[in-house]
Amino acid sequence: MPLFSFAPSARRTLLALVAFALFWPANAMALSLMDPFNLPGAMDGGASKVGDDIAYADGPRHHLDVYAPEKRGDPAPVVFFIYGGGWNRGERSDYQYLGRAFAARGFVTVIADYRLVPEVHYPEFLEDNAAALRWTQDHIAEYGGDPKRVFLAGHSAGAYNAVMLALEPSFRQEYGVTIPILGVAALSGPYDFYPFEYGEVQNAFGDTDNPEGTQPINLVTSNAPAMFLAAGTTDPIVRVQNTENLAAKLQANGIWVTTKYYEGFGHMEPVIAIGALWRWRAPVLDDMVEFFTRFGAFPSGVPYAAVTPEAPAGETERIDRVMDQLDGLFEPVTK
């Protein structure tokens, strides 16, 4: 298992890059806020991108990447991860660190782009993810994944998308997805946000004829898969009540639900903490892998342990400010 470590100077450099990305003009160069987390030295070893820019349908937003453990033997469990971004932004390349984090833990990981507002609106972005899931069903064995051990995961709007794919079977049926969804891990997701009060949500959902039908809280049945629901306790974008309300509804219907509330975390930090650079902040990756393992990811036991770097001395306050600034770039979804 390759070790992961940062010299203090390297960590300070990476933190400076995060701050630089926050304030660099968006039209000045192709610079993503997530770039610092995807630098080679900031990601887990023991993982490879085994599928790059694969088309799962026609169109520039219908491509995906696949990550896998470098040491592969028997077919591995699969994480199908959906990123967020208010349904109007996001790129799969921003989440290389996450694909490698799960691959380093023994999962084959799929991250797909999908069409965004204003090109599309509800439900087209869900349909795109269903199409990518169908590709996963048909092809993931070619990349070392086991189509009988598939888990959905997502963050923010991506958490919404993942939960909706699990709760509303019509999307999967339309695209011929028949593989079982063994569990869903959703971070910082909106599940109970009608009426639509803010611009991004209105733009994504405002024209639907059945707004109540867009809400995961209204679609829970006793057929739902087990879920892991996590949120930061001080999330200013998607209030923690979304997680609490959906968890209560799942439990009332007899569905296994694991909840984690990361004290003092805002909106972006739970998903960033999955990566090696920020993993010392909270055991998000361990918590998700434990949940996946409970529901069949590794019948013979977890093959790899996460490597967690030590906290950088004297940097906590600065990191908190960076996270607050990242959250400040997003419009609220719920009050």
Side-chain angles (χ1 to χ4, degrees), residues 19 51 69 74 92 138 167 192 203 219 254 282 292 302:
D74 294 334
R92 68 184 189 276
D138 293 345
L167 294 181
D192 184 12
N203 292 338
L219 300 176
F292 294 148
V302 180

Short mmCIF file of all heavy atoms in Angstrom, two decimals, residues 19 51 69 74 92 138 167 192 203 219 254 282 292 302:
data_model
loop_
_atom_site.label_atom_id
_atom_site.label_comp_id
_atom_site.label_asym_id
_atom_site.label_seq_id
_atom_site.Cartn_x
_atom_site.Cartn_y
_atom_site.Cartn_z
N ALA A 19 -6.46 29.00 -1.90
CA ALA A 19 -6.81 30.40 -1.75
C ALA A 19 -6.67 31.16 -3.07
O ALA A 19 -7.50 32.00 -3.41
CB ALA A 19 -5.93 31.04 -0.68
N GLY A 51 -10.19 4.04 -17.36
CA GLY A 51 -11.09 4.43 -18.44
C GLY A 51 -11.16 5.94 -18.50
O GLY A 51 -11.50 6.58 -17.52
N PRO A 69 -8.33 -0.02 -8.52
CA PRO A 69 -7.09 -0.32 -7.78
C PRO A 69 -6.00 -0.78 -8.75
O PRO A 69 -6.27 -1.47 -9.73
CB PRO A 69 -7.51 -1.46 -6.84
CG PRO A 69 -9.00 -1.42 -6.80
CD PRO A 69 -9.44 -0.89 -8.12
N ASP A 74 -9.85 -10.48 -8.23
CA ASP A 74 -11.26 -10.76 -8.43
C ASP A 74 -12.03 -9.48 -8.72
O ASP A 74 -11.57 -8.38 -8.38
CB ASP A 74 -11.84 -11.43 -7.16
CG ASP A 74 -11.23 -12.80 -6.90
OD1 ASP A 74 -10.77 -13.43 -7.88
OD2 ASP A 74 -11.21 -13.22 -5.73
N ARG A 92 -16.36 16.18 -14.30
CA ARG A 92 -15.85 14.95 -13.69
C ARG A 92 -14.37 15.08 -13.35
O ARG A 92 -13.89 14.46 -12.40
CB ARG A 92 -16.11 13.75 -14.60
CG ARG A 92 -15.32 13.74 -15.88
CD ARG A 92 -15.70 12.57 -16.79
NE ARG A 92 -14.81 12.44 -17.92
CZ ARG A 92 -14.92 13.13 -19.06
NH1 ARG A 92 -15.89 14.01 -19.20
NH2 ARG A 92 -14.05 12.93 -20.04
N ASP A 138 -23.53 -2.51 -18.25
CA ASP A 138 -23.13 -3.28 -19.43
C ASP A 138 -21.62 -3.47 -19.56
O ASP A 138 -21.17 -4.44 -20.17
CB ASP A 138 -23.64 -2.59 -20.70
CG ASP A 138 -25.15 -2.59 -20.81
OD1 ASP A 138 -25.80 -3.36 -20.07
OD2 ASP A 138 -25.69 -1.81 -21.62
N LEU A 167 -34.71 5.94 -5.52
CA LEU A 167 -36.09 5.96 -5.02
C LEU A 167 -37.14 5.95 -6.12
O LEU A 167 -38.26 5.48 -5.89
CB LEU A 167 -36.31 7.21 -4.15
CG LEU A 167 -35.53 7.29 -2.85
CD1 LEU A 167 -35.89 8.56 -2.10
CD2 LEU A 167 -35.80 6.07 -1.97
N ASP A 192 -35.67 17.69 0.52
CA ASP A 192 -36.97 18.18 0.98
C ASP A 192 -36.96 19.70 0.85
O ASP A 192 -36.88 20.41 1.84
CB ASP A 192 -37.19 17.73 2.43
CG ASP A 192 -38.56 18.10 2.98
OD1 ASP A 192 -39.44 18.49 2.18
OD2 ASP A 192 -38.74 18.03 4.21
N ASN A 203 -34.55 27.54 -11.44
CA ASN A 203 -34.11 27.31 -12.81
C ASN A 203 -34.09 25.83 -13.17
O ASN A 203 -34.37 25.45 -14.31
CB ASN A 203 -32.71 27.91 -13.02
CG ASN A 203 -32.72 29.42 -12.96
OD1 ASN A 203 -33.74 30.06 -13.17
ND2 ASN A 203 -31.57 30.00 -12.67
N LEU A 219 -40.93 10.20 -2.02
CA LEU A 219 -40.83 9.00 -2.85
C LEU A 219 -40.36 7.77 -2.08
O LEU A 219 -40.18 6.71 -2.67
CB LEU A 219 -39.87 9.26 -4.01
CG LEU A 219 -40.27 10.41 -4.96
CD1 LEU A 219 -39.19 10.62 -6.01
CD2 LEU A 219 -41.61 10.13 -5.62
N GLY A 254 -39.02 1.42 7.47
CA GLY A 254 -38.28 0.20 7.73
C GLY A 254 -36.99 0.05 6.95
O GLY A 254 -36.47 -1.06 6.82
N ALA A 282 -11.90 14.68 8.89
CA ALA A 282 -13.02 13.84 9.33
C ALA A 282 -12.95 12.50 8.60
O ALA A 282 -12.48 12.44 7.46
CB ALA A 282 -14.36 14.52 9.05
N PHE A 292 -20.62 0.71 2.96
CA PHE A 292 -20.62 -0.16 1.78
C PHE A 292 -20.28 -1.59 2.15
O PHE A 292 -20.85 -2.55 1.62
CB PHE A 292 -19.63 0.36 0.74
CG PHE A 292 -19.97 1.69 0.12
CD1 PHE A 292 -18.97 2.56 -0.27
CD2 PHE A 292 -21.29 2.08 -0.07
CE1 PHE A 292 -19.27 3.78 -0.85
CE2 PHE A 292 -21.61 3.29 -0.65
CZ PHE A 292 -20.59 4.15 -1.03
N VAL A 302 -12.45 -5.88 4.16
CA VAL A 302 -11.91 -4.73 3.44
C VAL A 302 -10.44 -4.98 3.11
O VAL A 302 -9.64 -5.25 4.02
CB VAL A 302 -12.06 -3.45 4.28
CG1 VAL A 302 -11.50 -2.25 3.53
CG2 VAL A 302 -13.53 -3.21 4.64
#
